[in-house]
Amino acid sequence: MADVTNHVDKNGANPVAAPHERPVYFRGGGFRTEPRRFVGLAVFAILLIIWEVGSRTGVISELVLPAPSQAFAAFMELVNSGNLQKHVGASLQRLTIGFSAGSLLGLVVGTAIGLSSYARAGLSPLVSAIFPIPKIALLPLFIIWFGIGEGSKVATILFGCFFPTVIATYGGIDSVDRTLIRMGQSFGLSRWEIVRKIVLPAALPAILSGMRISASIAIILLVAAEMIGAEYGIGAYVLLAGNLMSTDQLIAGVAILSMLGLIVSWLITRAEKAFLGWRN
Amino acid sequence: MDLRVDGLSHWYSDLEVLRDINLTIPQGQIVCVIGPSGCGKSTLLRLLGGLEQPTQGQVTQVGEPPVGSLNPLTYVFQDFALLPWRSVEDNVSLVLERHNLSKAEKEDRISDVLTRTRLSDFRKAVPKQLSGGMKQRVAIARALSVNPAVLLMDEPLSALDSQTRELLMDDLIDLWTREQFTSCYITHNLAEAVRLGHKVVVLSRRPGVVREVVDIDIPLANRRMSDPRIAEIQQDLWDMMREEAQTADLELAP
Amino acid sequence: MSIFKMTRRVWLANLSAMTAGLMSLGMPTVAAAQDDVVLGALRFTSHGAGFVAYERGYFEEEGLNVKFEFFQAAQPIAVATASGDVDFGVTGVTGGLMNLAEKNALRIVAGVLHEKAGVDGMIVLASNKAYEEGLTSIDDMPGHSLAMTQVGSTFHYMTSRIADEKGWDIADIKLVPLQKVGSMVAALKSGQVDMMIMVPHIAKALAADGAAQQIGKLNDYVEYQISTMITSVENIENNPDVVKRFIRAYSKGIADMNAGLLDPNADPSEKEALTKILHKYVYTDQPYEKAAPSIQNGAMFLNEGAALNKTDVEKQMNWFVDSGLVDSDLTVDQLVDSTFVETN
C-alpha cells in the first residue's frame, strides 16, 4: 500500500499515470509431503558407503564398529551354515504365537473396557499399572510360572503385545461416532450385532495402528524372550554375539531384526489397505 | 398407526428440557416440529422413538403397524449415520440382517428401496464416493427398507447445501405423494416446515412447550414458495419464533 | 590416532594434562606425581585383593591413585577395559574377552582366581527334585540339564572340562543358557533345570536353605585359571611401568587374602581385620555380624604373586576356538602378555 501511495505522491503532477503493477507472489505450498521414491534407499546406501569407507581406512576402528562387509560376511556364514532358517524359524514361531495370542486377548479385554462400565472401572487402572513394568524385570518369575521352554518366551511377547492392543482398542472404541451406535439401536440391532458390525469395524483403524506398535514391541521383546534357555532364535543369536563381543555377528543379527520389522510393517500396511480401503 | 404423546416432560438432571407436551402424529401425515435451537426438538424425537426414557408422561402407538414392518419407529439422522466401510446396498442390508429374511426377500427389499430412492445405479458405491444428498437418500432408503410405521426425521436436510436441499425436498414430496408415509419431521428451517408439514408444531425456547399447532391444508404437491398463502404462513411462524429465537440466542449453554 | 580410536578417558587425560600444565605455570612443581588408574570390580569376596591393597595403602606405596568402578557382571568389565573406561579389570577367561583380545584391544597380564583342590571353589548343585530322583553325584550328570549364563561363559567351559575328565560327550548334558545368575537360581529352585555350577557364596547359601543340594565340587575334578587380570593394549604399550606397579600392589593384597582368609591356621584377628575391610565393599547392605560369614564363605584361592597359568589359559582358548565361539586367528600371545608375572 505504501508503495502505491508513494507512487501517486511522486507523480502528483500526473495522477493518471499507470499504477505500479506487480504479480501476486506465490506463498502457498510447502508442508505437504509427497511420496519421493528411492530417497530413503539412497540415504541408506550413502550411509553404508560412508561406514564401509570409514572402516576400510581405519577412521572407524574395528572395535567400535565392524565394517558392513564384515557384518555381511557374518550373515552369509549364517546362511551357509544353514542356521539362519533355524534361528528365523524359531523366532517367527514365537513372534507369531505371542503376537496373535497377545493381540487377541488385548482385543477382547480392550473391547470389554470400551463397552462395559464395570470392566472399565475394574480393569483400566490395572492395565495402566501393569503396562509400564519392563517385562525383562519379570523374567525370573516367568521362568517359574511358564518354565524354561517355549512357554516363558511366548508369554514375554504375549505380555508385550497385550497392553498396547488393549489401550488402542478401547481408545478406538471411545472415538467411535456415537450416532452410528444410536443408529444401530434405533433399528433394533442386538448389542452383539452393534459391537460386531458397527463398533469394531469403526475402531479398526485405531486397532491396526495399535497392532503396528505392538508388532514392533514383539520384535523388541524377542531378544528378552530368548534370554531364557533359547538354543535357536535371532534374539539368542544376537545375545550370544554380544556376549562373545562378535560385533560383526551382532550387526548381522540386528540387521535381521530390523528386516523383520520392515516386513511386519509392510504386512500391516497391506492389512490397512485391505481392511481400511473405505477411508480413501 | 398413529403416534400419540401425552403429558410428556423431560429433565436432564436439574435442567428442564420439555414441559407437558401433548401431540398426535396421525397416520399418513407429516408433522413438522420447529423451534429455536436448544428447545428440545431433538430430545422430543429421541423420546418418540424410545431412544430415551421420558421423565414424565408417555408416548403411545395407536393401532397396528403395517404388515411386514420390521421396525415401526424408524429414524433418519441429520448426519446420515451411514457405515463408511459398507457399500450402499450393504448399508441397507445392515438393518435387515437380523430379521431372518430369505435371501430373495432381502434382495427384493433392497432393490425396491433403492429404486424408490433412485439409487439403483449406485448399489456398490461406498458413502465416501457419494454427495451429501445421495448419502441422505441412502439413509432414507435404509429407513424405508424396514417398512416403518412412522419415520422420525431429525433435521434430515440441514447438513446439505441449499440446492441439494431443494432437490431432496422435492424427492420427499414425490415419495409422500406416492405412498403417504407417516412422519415426525424436526427442523429449524421454516421453509422446509411449510413445504412438507401437514401440521407444524411450534415449540418455545427451553423448557420447550407447544406454543402453537398450525394446520396447513394445501396439498403437498401444490405448494409453491410463490404461493402467497404459503408465504403468509411462513411469516406467521417466523413472527412466533423470532422473539423466542432472540432470547434463546442470548442464553448461555447449559 | 583417529578420533574414533581416541577414547573418552584419553580425551580427559589430555585435557587434564593441559589444564595441569597451564596451572603449573604459576605454581611450584609438586614432586612424586601419582598415576591415576581405575580398577573395574565386582562386589565379591573374590575381588577382595584389590580392596585390601587399596585400604592397606599398597597402591599408594606404588605411587598409584586407584579408583574403583563397580559392575554388576564380569562381562562388561572386559568391554569397559577395551574402551578405556577402566584401566584394569578382574574377569573370567570368557569368549568375549578372547574376541576383544583378537581385536588387539586388551590382554591378560596376570592371574587372580584359580580353582584348586582342597580350597573353596565352584560348587555343583542339583535341584531338590532331580536330587530326589537320583542325581546325587557328579557321576550322574549325563542326561540332565544344566543352567548356565551364556554359551561361551566360564560355566560352559567348566561343564565341558568335567565332561572331558569323565570321558562324557558334552552333548549328553543339556545346557540351558539363562543369561543371568538370578534366572539360573530361579530355574534351579523351581526344578526347571537339574543342575548348575555356582560360586561358593551363593551355592553354600542355597544349600544351607535347602533350596538345592550340593553334589560335588568342581576342583575335585578340574583345576583351572578362572579369572585373570586384564588391561588394555594401550596401557601395556604406553605405561608398562604402571602395569608392573599395579600388579605388584595387587599381589600384596592377594598374599594378605590367602594368608588371612583361606589358611586354616590364620590369625583370627587378621581374619576379622580383613573381613572388616571387605565389608566396606561387599554385602554393605547387611550388618557386619550377618555379612561376615557370607564374606568369608566367598573366599577362593588366589594366585600367589598374581602368577598366571598360561598353559591353562591356552587350553581354554583352544576349547573356545574349537567350539567355533572365537575367531581361529587368535594366538595365545595375542591373548596373554606374560612379561609382567610368572607364568607356567
Side-chain angles (χ1 to χ4, degrees), chain A residues 14-74:
Chain A
N14 185 13
V16 285
H20 182 72
E21 286 178 18
R22 65 179 169 207
V24 172
Y25 69 92
F26 176 64
R27 53 184 172 177
F31 302 115
R32 206 173 59 217
T33 56
E34 281 163 30
R36 291 270 183 267
R37 277 166 159 243
F38 309 119
V39 173
L41 219 59
V43 168
F44 196 67
I46 290 168
L47 275 180
L48 273 182
I49 290 167
I50 293 176
W51 179 4
E52 179 74 38
V53 169
S55 295
R56 293 264 169 108
T57 54
V59 176
I60 304 172
S61 120
E62 196 194 337
L63 183 65
V64 175
L65 204 60
S69 55
Q70 285 173 305
F72 186 72

Side-chain angles (χ1 to χ4, degrees), chain B residues 171-189:
Chain B
D171 284 352
L172 281 174
I173 290 167
D174 284 350
L175 193 67
W176 187 87
T177 313
R178 272 184 279 132
E179 40 201 88
Q180 279 89 45
F181 59 87
T182 313
S183 175
C184 179
Y185 187 108
I186 303 283
T187 182
H188 62 265
N189 182 316

Side-chain angles (χ1 to χ4, degrees), chain B residues 30-87:
Chain B
I30 299 176
V31 175
C32 289
V33 178
I34 60 169
S37 46
C39 73
K41 303 187 290 281
S42 294
T43 306
L44 176 63
L45 200 72
R46 285 203 290 274
L47 291 164
L48 285 180
L51 285 183
E52 259 180 79
Q53 277 188 313
T55 317
Q56 226 174 62
Q58 64 173 6
V59 182
T60 317
Q61 300 183 24
V62 184
E64 290 304 312
V67 184
S69 174
L70 302 176
N71 190 48
L73 303 174
T74 297
Y75 285 87
V76 173
F77 297 92
Q78 177 179 355
D79 40 15
F80 327 129
L82 299 177
L83 302 185
W85 55 90
R86 284 190 176 225
S87 65

